[in-house]
Amino acid sequence: MQKREIETLKSDKLKKTVIPLGLATLFVFVMILMGPSQDTGDDAFIAWQLSRGFGSIASFISPYLSLAISTLYSTIPQLAWWSIFHVFSAWVLLWVCLYIIIKKFKGIQRWGISIIIIAATWIGIVKNVNFTRTAAAFAMAGGMLILDFLLENRVSLKINKVGSFILGLILICLGSMTRFQAALLVFPFLGICIVWIEFYEKDYCFKSLINKKLVKTLGWLAVPVISIFVLALLNVLFWNTHAEWKEYNEYNKARSEILDYVDLYPAWEEAEEQYKQCGLNDKNDLNLLFMTAFIGDSDVYSLETLQNIGKLKDENIPLSEKIQGMKTRVASMLKEGKVLICVFFLAFILYYGFNKKAFLPIGINLFCAFGFLIVFSYLGRMMLRVWEPTLLCMMGAIIVLFGNMRANDIEREYEIQLIYNPRDRKKTRYRSFLKFTVSDLFLGLLCCIIFLGSINVFSDLKSLSLPTYDVDRDEITRARAEFIDASRDEIYLLFFPLIHHPPQPGTFGLWEPLPADYCPNYFALTNWDATTPTNINRLKAYGIGNPVKALFERDDTYSDYDRNVFDFIRHHYGENITCSKVKNFKDEGLIVQYSQPILKENIKENVKSKVEIVKDEYLVYGGENGFHIKGSLDVKEDMDIKALYCNVQSEDGILSYRLNWSEERFEGIFLDVEDGSLDNQELYLVGKTENGEYFQLGDIELESRE
C-alpha cells in the first residue's frame, strides 16, 4: 500500500509539472493568434543581422547567443528564429509561473493569480515584442525558480532538488545574454523577498534577522549574480579581441551618448562655435544628427567628432527642469502601463487570502519598483519596455514569496492526507484543486471580468487570426525592398531605412523568415545599424569607404530624396553637386542620383548621334522646384553607354545632371532648379562607357519660352 501511495504522489507531482506546461502552450498559442507586434525597430535590425548567414553577429545581444541563433537561421532558414525566441521566452515564463502557482496556491487564489499572470505576460512580454522584454522574461522565470528553491530549502543546510536551481540559473544567464541590464531587474526583488521571509518568520524581530540561514540563502543567490557578470566579461573579451567590433562598440557608445540624451545638448544658436570646432559646418549638420541619426558620412560624423560633441552635454540643467521631466515620464508610465493594473489585482487577491500579512511585503516591493521608475525617469531612460518588465519581475517574486509564506502548504497538506487516508484520495484531490465557496466563485468571476476589461484583453481577443507572413508588415517599405532586391546591379544608400522604428510596421512580418542574401545591395545612412561591421564589410566589398561620397562619386549608387541630405552634400563636398530624380518606387517615392561636374577636359571627342527632346518644362515636384526633360538618343556609333548625363554650361561653371537611360530613351527631373535658370544655357549629353570614358553625345535645344 505504501508503494502505491508513493507512486501516486509521484504521479501527482508529474501532473503538477505537465499541466502548467500544457496551459502555457495553450495560452502562448492564443497570444500568437492575438497578433503581437514589434515594440521598436531594434529587433528587426537584430533579426536582419542574424539572418545574414552562419556566424553572423548582431549588435546589443551576446555574441555567443548571436552565433547560436544565426546557426539556426542557416540550418532552417524557413523560420523566423528571432521572433520564435521572443515567444519561447513567454512560454518559459508562463510555464514556470503556472508551475509555482499550482504547486503553492489553492482554490480561488490559484485560478485568480493564474489569470493575472497570463494577462500580464501578454501585455508585458508578447503584445509588443522587444529584446528587453524577452531578457526580462527569461530572467524572471529563472529568478522565480531560484527563489522558490532557496525558500523551500532555507530550513535545512542540506541543499536538495538542485535541478530547479540549475534551470533557473540557465534561464537568468539566457536573459543576460539577451540584454544584460534587463536581467538585473529581477535581483532586487529576489533579495527583498529572501530578507522578508526571514523577518516574517522571526515575528518581525530585527535583532534575530541576520543568521546563518539567511547568509546561506543570500550566498546561493550570489551564484546567478556572479554568473551573469562572468558572461558580461566574456562578451567584453569577445568584442575586444575582434577589432572591427571593438571599433564599432566605441563608435556606438559615442553615438548613443548623444542621441539618447539629445535634450541635454545646447541648440546650434547657443554653441555654434563649439559645434564648428567639433567638425560640423552648420545647423543642418546638427539637425541631421539629432533628429535622424544620420551617421552614414564617416568623415563628417567620425568617432572624434562624436566624442567632441559628447563633451558639450550640459549636465547642469536646473533641478526644476529635471524634476518636471521626471514627473512627465512618471505620469506617462502610470497612464500607459497596463501591467500596473495586474499588480493591483494581484495585491487584492493576496490580501483576500493573507489579510494584513500581505500589506508590508507588497508595499516594500512596490516601493522598490517605483524607485526604479523615479530614478530611470529622472535620468530620462524610462520607457514602457523597461517599466512593464520591472513590474512583472516584482509580481513573480511576490508570487513565490507568498506561496512559501502559507502556513499550510497545499502540496504537503495533500501528501499527508493522501498517506493517512488513501481511500479518500479522489475527494482530497478535489478539495485541493477546487476548494472555494459559491461566494468565492461569484467574486472571482466578477473580478476576472473587471480585470480583463480594464486591460483591454477583450478587444485584443477580437483580432484572433492565424499568423501569416504579412503580420505587422509595412507593404510600402516591403515593395521598396522588393524593388531594390530585383535591381542588384544598382547600390541603394537610403536616408530613410527599410528597417525602421514603429509606429510604422516593419519591412518584414513578425513571422516572416529573412533570406540570407536578401537586398545585398541595400545600405542605410541613418540609425545605429549604419556603422555595424556587417554593413562596413559589405560596403568594402563594393569598394565603398564613405557611402555619402559614393552617392556622387559613383554612377551605380541611388538614394531616396531628402532636402537636408542634399544640402549636407553640397555644403561639405561642393555647391556644384546636383541631384536628379531618375526613378520612382511603386509608392511614388523619389529615387535620385547625385552627380559631380564632368569637366570638358575629361570628355573625349563628340560622337555622332541624334538627340530628340520630347518634353522640357519647369515644374514643382515633391515640393521642390525642378526641370523635367525627356527625349530619345540615337547613337550612330557602336557604343555601350553605362550612364547618361546632361551637362549644363553656365557662367558659374559646369553642372552635370544624371538621367535615367534605357533603350535609347532618357528622362530625368533636375531638382532645385529655378524657373528659367536653364534658358539660354548650353546643354549637351555626356555618356559614360563601361571602361569609364566620357563622350559628348549631342547638344540639347530647349523649347523657346519667350
Side-chain angles (χ1 to χ4, degrees):
M1 179 65 69
Q2 189 174 4
K3 183 177 180 181
R4 179 187 293 180
E5 294 164 1
I6 294 173
E7 290 176 352
T8 303
L9 288 174
K10 290 181 178 179
S11 174
D12 189 64
K13 289 182 178 179
L14 180 63
K15 289 179 180 178
K16 288 185 178 181
T17 303
V18 173
I19 289 175
L21 191 151
L23 289 174
T25 304
L26 172 64
F27 283 107
V28 166
F29 178 71
V30 173
M31 291 176 189
I32 293 174
L33 298 182
M34 290 167 72
S37 60
Q38 297 186 52
D39 196 2
T40 70
D42 293 339
D43 290 275
F45 289 128
I46 292 172
W48 181 281
Q49 290 175 301
L50 293 175
S51 67
R52 286 299 183 181
F54 178 77
S56 299
I57 303 294
S59 312
F60 295 134
I61 67 175
S62 168
Y64 310 107
L65 181 61
S66 290
L67 292 173
I69 297 180
S70 65
T71 301
L72 292 174
Y73 271 109
S74 301
T75 307
I76 311 177
Q78 295 81 10
L79 297 177
W81 286 106
W82 187 241
S83 297
I84 293 173
F85 184 70
H86 289 308
V87 174
F88 176 68
S89 73
W91 179 81
V92 169
L93 176 59
L94 270 186
W95 179 32
V96 170
C97 288
L98 294 174
Y99 166 74
I100 291 175
I101 291 168
I102 290 176
K103 184 174 74 168
K104 299 291 185 182
F105 294 91
K106 63 180 180 180
I108 195 71
Q109 281 189 335
R110 170 182 293 165
W111 307 115
I113 295 173
S114 296
I115 291 171
I116 289 172
I117 206 67
I118 290 168
T121 301
W122 160 246
I123 298 169
I125 304 298
V126 183
K127 185 175 182 179
N128 298 295
V129 295
N130 175 265
F131 71 109
T132 299
R133 298 175 187 269
T134 299
F138 280 122
M140 175 181 168
M144 290 180 70
L145 286 174
I146 289 175
L147 180 61
D148 185 54
F149 167 79
L150 294 177
L151 295 186
E152 280 189 349
N153 292 277
R154 68 188 185 281
V155 176
S156 173
L157 291 177
K158 295 181 180 180
I159 300 297
N160 51 30
K161 302 179 182 177
V162 76
S164 61
F165 181 88
I166 295 174
L167 178 58
L169 180 62
I170 292 172
L171 292 176
I172 285 184
C173 289
L174 189 57
S176 73
M177 294 172 73
T178 308
R179 186 157 199 178
F180 174 74
Q181 297 90 334
L184 294 176
L185 289 174
V186 72
F187 287 103
F189 302 109
L190 300 185
I192 289 172
C193 291
I194 289 173
V195 173
W196 169 258
I197 204 163
E198 293 293 334
F199 181 55
Y200 167 74
E201 288 192 344
K202 299 299 181 182
D203 295 324
Y204 309 98
C205 179
F206 284 103
K207 292 183 179 180
S208 57
L209 181 60
I210 305 301
N211 53 65
K212 187 176 181 180
K213 187 167 54 176
L214 177 62
V215 172
K216 181 201 73 170
T217 305
L218 292 176
W220 276 87
L221 183 61
V223 174
V225 176
I226 295 171
S227 298
I228 67 172
F229 276 98
V230 169
L231 279 173
L233 289 175
L234 291 175
N235 292 342
V236 172
L237 180 64
F238 179 93
W239 301 130
N240 289 338
T241 52
H242 293 74
E244 56 187 8
W245 280 101
K246 181 179 180 181
E247 182 179 342
Y248 166 75
N249 286 329
E250 189 177 6
Y251 186 90
N252 194 52
K253 180 181 178 182
R255 177 203 62 82
S256 62
E257 186 67 23
I258 296 172
L259 299 184
D260 291 349
Y261 303 97
V262 169
D263 293 341
L264 299 182
Y265 287 85
W268 176 264
E269 293 79 8
E270 298 172 345
E272 180 177 346
E273 289 303 319
Q274 292 94 320
Y275 282 124
K276 286 184 176 180
Q277 290 174 7
C278 292
L280 304 185
N281 276 6
D282 52 29
K283 185 177 181 179
N284 184 51
D285 291 359
L286 188 66
N287 288 342
L288 281 171
L289 177 62
F290 280 0
M291 297 180 183
T292 65
F294 180 75
I295 55 175
D297 193 311
S298 53
D299 292 334
V300 175
Y301 299 108
S302 64
L303 174 61
E304 182 181 1
T305 297
L306 295 189
Q307 289 175 336
N308 288 333
I309 293 175
K311 296 175 183 177
L312 300 179
K313 184 167 66 171
D314 184 9
E315 300 284 4
N316 299 317
I317 293 178
L319 182 61
S320 59
E321 291 186 18
K322 289 186 177 181
I323 293 177
Q324 184 59 42
M326 178 194 71
K327 289 167 61 178
T328 302
R329 282 183 282 270
V330 168
S332 175
M333 294 301 103
L334 296 179
K335 181 180 178 181
E336 299 175 20
K338 300 293 185 182
V339 176
L340 188 59
I341 299 175
C342 301
V343 173
F344 289 141
F345 273 88
L346 175 64
F348 172 76
I349 288 180
L350 292 175
Y351 175 77
Y352 183 75
F354 289 86
N355 297 323
K356 295 181 180 180
K357 296 177 184 179
F359 277 129
L360 197 53
I362 292 176
I364 293 173
N365 279 279
L366 266 176
F367 180 81
C368 179
F370 277 93
F372 277 120
L373 174 62
I374 292 171
V375 171
F376 280 86
S377 295
Y378 183 80
L379 297 174
R381 300 296 296 157
M382 179 52 71
M383 293 152 282
L384 273 180
R385 60 181 177 272
V386 177
W387 173 234
E388 291 181 335
T390 300
L391 292 175
L392 263 173
C393 290
M394 184 197 74
M395 292 172 66
I398 287 176
I399 288 170
V400 177
L401 172 65
F402 280 89
N404 283 275
M405 278 176 59
R406 294 185 68 248
N408 298 312
D409 182 87
I410 187 172
E411 187 176 70
R412 291 201 303 269
E413 179 183 341
Y414 173 63
E415 290 178 7
I416 291 172
Q417 291 177 358
L418 183 61
I419 291 173
Y420 288 100
N421 192 6
R423 296 179 181 178
D424 198 27
R425 178 171 59 85
K426 293 183 179 180
K427 185 177 180 181
T428 304
R429 181 179 301 169
Y430 174 82
R431 289 203 307 268
S432 177
F433 278 83
L434 298 174
K435 191 174 181 180
F436 49 80
T437 64
V438 174
S439 61
D440 288 337
L441 179 62
F442 175 77
L443 181 62
L445 289 175
L446 180 62
C447 289
C448 181
I449 293 171
I450 296 173
F451 166 66
L452 295 177
S454 64
I455 58 175
N456 299 326
V457 168
F458 294 124
S459 62
D460 292 333
L461 285 170
K462 291 179 181 178
S463 60
L464 286 178
S465 61
L466 290 174
T468 57
Y469 284 169
D470 60 354
V471 170
D472 195 37
R473 187 171 77 189
D474 180 14
E475 297 301 335
I476 292 178
T477 53
R478 181 50 181 270
R480 291 190 176 193
E482 294 290 339
F483 180 91
I484 292 171
D485 188 60
S487 309
R488 296 197 175 193
D489 57 335
E490 302 169 348
I491 303 171
Y492 284 81
L493 307 167
L494 301 188
F495 171 76
F496 186 78
L498 292 179
I499 299 177
H500 48 263
H501 292 286
Q504 298 92 347
T507 302
F508 292 94
L510 188 63
W511 308 112
E512 186 175 13
L514 284 72
D517 61 342
Y518 191 73
C519 289
N521 53 328
Y522 155 74
F523 303 92
L525 298 176
T526 56
N527 224 315
W528 57 261
D529 72 317
T531 55
T532 59
T534 303
N535 260 9
I536 297 299
N537 291 334
R538 289 170 53 231
L539 284 168
K540 287 180 179 178
Y542 281 106
I544 296 175
N546 184 333
V548 173
K549 282 186 177 180
L551 284 174
F552 57 85
E553 290 180 343
R554 298 175 58 126
D555 56 68
D556 58 351
T557 55
Y558 298 77
S559 187
D560 48 355
Y561 182 69
D562 183 86
R563 179 54 191 258
N564 293 324
V565 175
F566 187 17
D567 291 340
F568 173 90
I569 292 174
R570 290 195 299 188
H571 292 171
H572 283 277
Y573 300 107
E575 293 292 337
N576 52 7
I577 292 177
T578 63
C579 181
S580 303
K581 176 259 170 182
V582 294
K583 298 181 184 180
N584 281 104
F585 290 113
K586 290 184 178 179
D587 60 287
E588 297 303 316
L590 276 62
I591 300 176
V592 301
Q593 286 190 286
Y594 296 90
S595 305
Q596 57 187 349
I598 303 172
L599 303 179
K600 279 198 171 183
E601 53 264 31
N602 296 326
I603 301 175
K604 296 195 174 184
E605 71 278 0
N606 292 350
V607 175
K608 189 176 181 180
S609 57
K610 180 182 179 181
V611 179
E612 181 179 350
I613 302 300
V614 177
K615 177 185 289 188
D616 64 276
E617 62 176 347
Y618 296 96
L619 76 173
V620 176
Y621 192 85
E624 296 283 346
N625 292 324
F627 179 76
H628 184 196
I629 188 170
K630 182 178 182 181
S632 61
L633 172 65
D634 182 14
V635 182
K636 302 303 181 182
E637 299 182 15
D638 185 15
M639 178 181 292
D640 186 10
I641 300 176
K642 180 183 179 183
L644 187 65
Y645 300 83
C646 175
N647 262 17
V648 179
Q649 179 69 56
S650 67
E651 296 179 357
D652 298 327
I654 293 177
L655 298 176
S656 300
Y657 291 92
R658 184 65 187 270
L659 295 169
N660 184 24
W661 163 250
S662 177
E663 298 180 352
E664 298 185 351
R665 297 184 181 278
F666 63 85
E667 184 177 9
I669 297 179
F670 309 158
L671 298 176
D672 195 31
V673 174
E674 296 296 330
D675 190 359
S677 61
L678 299 184
D679 296 345
N680 303 319
Q681 305 292 337
E682 180 186 355
L683 280 73
Y684 55 92
L685 295 179
V686 176
K688 182 180 180 181
T689 61
E690 287 289 345
N691 59 9
E693 295 180 320
Y694 295 98
F695 293 87
Q696 186 168 335
L697 300 177
D699 295 335
I700 296 176
E701 294 184 5
L702 301 181
E703 178 184 352
S704 175
R705 293 176 174 79
E706 296 181 358

